[in-house]
């Protein structure tokens, strides 16, 4: 039996992985992994027909880990409420909303608009909660 020669850089960690290896290492399924790529959560490098995932991208995903998953899991009030009711509540609250927030509500930038909407809804929920604290609620 011939001894296998030791490569000089054998102890170096890989800087990229193929999709199958990245899925195996992270424990994320192939479908979910492609969803994360499409959403921009994981960076990929195309080399011809080969798709490579940089280890730095995987490390970044894992570092964000819990915070990112918690934000994704948090439901938005407008997602569970009838659209007309959500719109009526937002419209009614505009009068007490500062001008800067009102301009964000009309913004074409989706993230600024969503953040402003969430802020308005959050303030309304807090106001409702504070007013209901002194009252007993019958179930």
């Amino acid at each position: 039996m011939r001894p296998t020669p030791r490569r000089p850089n054998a102890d170096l960690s890989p800087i990229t992985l193929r999709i199958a290896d990245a899925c195996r290492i992270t424990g994320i399924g192939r479908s979910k992994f492609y969803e994360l790529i499409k959403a921009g959560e994981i960076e990929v490098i195309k080399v011809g027909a080969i798709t490579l995932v940089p280890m730095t991208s995987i490390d970044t995903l894992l570092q964000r880990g819990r915070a990112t998953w918690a934000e994704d899991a948090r439901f938005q009030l407008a997602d569970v409420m009838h659209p007309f009711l959500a719109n009526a509540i937002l419209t009614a609250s505009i009068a007490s909303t500062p001008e800067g927030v009102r301009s964000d509500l009309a913004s074409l930038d989706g993230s600024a608009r969503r953040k402003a909407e969430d802020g308005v809804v959050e303030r309304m929920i807090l106001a409702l909660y504070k007013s209901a604290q002194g009252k007993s609620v019958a179930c």
Side-chain angles (χ1 to χ4, degrees), residues 4-13:
T4 307
R6 183 177 159 104
R7 296 184 328 208
N9 296 329
D11 55 340
L12 292 178
S13 297

Side-chain angles (χ1 to χ4, degrees), residues 15-19 21-28 33 41-43 52-65:
I15 58 172
T16 61
L17 298 170
R18 291 185 182 227
I19 298 287
D21 295 329
C23 289
R24 190 181 76 250
I25 287 173
T26 60
I28 298 172
F33 204 85
E41 297 288 324
I42 297 176
E43 173 191 354
L52 298 173
V53 182
M55 286 299 295
T56 55
S57 181
I58 292 173
D59 290 339
T60 302
L61 175 74
L62 297 177
Q63 292 300 320
R64 285 187 305 230

